[in-house]
Amino acid sequence: MTIPVLIDCDPGHDDAIAILLALASPEVELRGVTTVAGNQTLDKTTRNALKVLELADRTEVPVAVGADAPLKRTLRTAANVHGESGLDGPDLPEPTTKPVDGHAADLLAEWIEPGVVLVPTGPLTNVALMLERHPDVRDRLDRIVWMGGAIGEGNTTPAAEFNALVDPEAAAAVFGSGIPVTMIGLDVTHLALFDSSHAERLRVSGRAGKAVAELADFFLRFHRQRYAFDGAPIHDAMAVAHVIDPTLVETIACNISIETQSQFCDGRTVVDRWSVTGLPENAEAGVDVDAERFLELLVARIGSLS
Ligand code: BDR
Ligand code: CA
């Protein structure tokens, strides 16, 4: 059975690749893309989402624009990781389409029906706004698979991952909503590095593959300079991959709370791995991944796009 998915994102190199993976995979049907401010400002992330659909010749997938700032905080972007455009590297086709009318928070609520999986790959602002404006969504949405957070490390502060840190209040609202959330965090995304051999295979495939290779050129350079990684984690694509094939990422059921008031640990996803608090399990956290199978899936699927 095909799983309908909605991707709420801030493209972003890995968000773009996540969208392409969904479009290339028969196990899922991408019903809509919503945009949020995160890696770059909202105008840029929206433009980038439209460009990615243009690249894949899938402009019939609706794009809805969401929040231009976190719920309570000033927006922090990641231009150092994704460049000024948010998708630096390739020359992507100019969008020929526009976003649909309406706010992402309202359209997500309209598009969510039983069976739909919501895959946020950016700060959780739109999802939190949706829950605030449309509390009835809780009864229809049985699953969120979010790329963000971490059990054991941070990439924006020592304690926090980028998507969690940009809007911790939104993350707290989503994890406290009662909707089961699967957290695909840095603990697993950092285990699967997309390297230049993957990029070279895609460079000689279709138009989308070539664009992904050029995205990877930029993204790999950052990860080499910043982390001395011999490749780049394609974080957001792993969340989509987990919906496509749930055997790729191993998860554990646990309680996850979000720190919103701390000098050093703001935005930390506090994972009670050993149930020391006795708080109810509200999430699944990724703890391991079959990296080779994930990367092979990614290359094969993106390479199959014409
Ligand atoms: C997350 O932060 C963003 O820069 C990426 O797109 C990904 O969603 C990784 O920490
Ligand atoms: Ca992202």
Side-chain angles (χ1 to χ4, degrees):
M1 241 188 46
T2 310
I3 302 172
V5 297
L6 296 166
I7 298 183
D8 179 61
C9 57
D10 60 340
H13 292 66
D14 50 336
D15 303 79
I17 299 172
I19 292 172
L20 293 172
L21 176 62
L23 292 173
S25 297
E27 297 86 350
V28 297
E29 178 200 348
L30 183 58
R31 293 252 179 109
V33 173
T34 52
T35 58
V36 67
N39 285 324
Q40 260 302 351
T41 50
L42 184 64
D43 54 335
K44 293 182 183 176
T45 59
T46 302
R47 199 171 142 68
N48 291 342
L50 293 169
K51 282 182 167 189
V52 172
L53 293 171
E54 194 76 48
L55 171 74
D57 207 10
R58 295 294 301 276
T59 52
E60 81 284 3
V61 176
V63 173
V65 185
D68 64 0
L71 296 182
K72 294 191 175 161
R73 301 183 183 223
T74 307
L75 176 64
R76 162 201 291 261
T77 62
N80 58 327
V81 188
H82 300 274
E84 267 316 307
S85 71
L87 268 189
D88 275 15
D91 260 336
L92 294 174
E94 286 304 310
T96 59
T97 52
K98 289 196 175 350
V100 294
D101 288 339
H103 192 286
D106 302 323
L107 287 167
L108 282 172
E110 198 180 305
W111 293 339
I112 286 168
E113 56 184 35
V116 169
V117 179
L118 177 57
V119 186
T121 61
L124 287 166
T125 321
N126 287 341
V127 185
L129 285 172
M130 171 191 76
L131 292 170
E132 188 186 299
R133 295 184 192 179
H134 307 276
D136 56 299
V137 168
R138 286 177 176 78
D139 305 329
R140 308 196 286 283
L141 179 56
D142 26 57
R143 201 166 159 226
I144 294 175
V145 179
W146 176 53
M147 189 285 130
I151 302 174
E153 57 186 304
N155 64 358
T156 310
T157 68
E161 180 279 333
F162 179 78
N163 291 337
L165 183 69
V166 171
D167 199 344
E169 284 76 17
V174 172
F175 278 86
S177 69
I179 301 167
V181 183
T182 301
M183 184 180 93
I184 303 295
L186 300 177
D187 320 273
V188 281
T189 65
H190 279 186
L191 294 177
L193 301 185
F194 182 100
D195 64 24
S196 50
S197 71
H198 301 112
E200 292 323 313
R201 284 164 63 193
L202 285 178
R203 207 180 303 279
V204 293
S205 65
R207 182 161 95 130
K210 180 168 175 283
V212 168
E214 291 170 2
L215 284 169
D217 292 341
F218 185 91
F219 212 43
L220 262 65
R221 203 173 313 127
F222 167 78
H223 284 86
R224 193 173 307 119
Q225 284 164 2
R226 177 68 185 80
Y227 298 101
F229 282 179
D230 192 18
I234 313 294
H235 310 276
D236 298 339
M238 196 177 282
V240 170
H242 184 60
V243 181
I244 294 170
D245 180 351
T247 69
L248 288 172
V249 179
E250 183 192 336
T251 63
I252 52 161
C254 55
N255 180 274
I256 300 181
S257 303
I258 312 296
E259 178 59 74
T260 59
Q261 297 177 32
S262 160
Q263 183 184 357
F264 298 117
C265 296
D266 240 12
R268 178 141 193 93
T269 45
V270 181
V271 177
D272 187 3
R273 186 163 187 174
W274 308 116
S275 301
V276 293
T277 60
L279 289 170
E281 291 168 355
N282 60 348
E284 296 271 330
V287 291
D288 202 4
V289 61
D290 187 334
E292 202 178 320
R293 250 182 350 108
F294 163 66
L295 292 164
E296 281 309 312
L297 175 88
L298 194 57
V299 172
R301 294 292 170 87
I302 305 272
S304 75
L305 286 168
S306 59

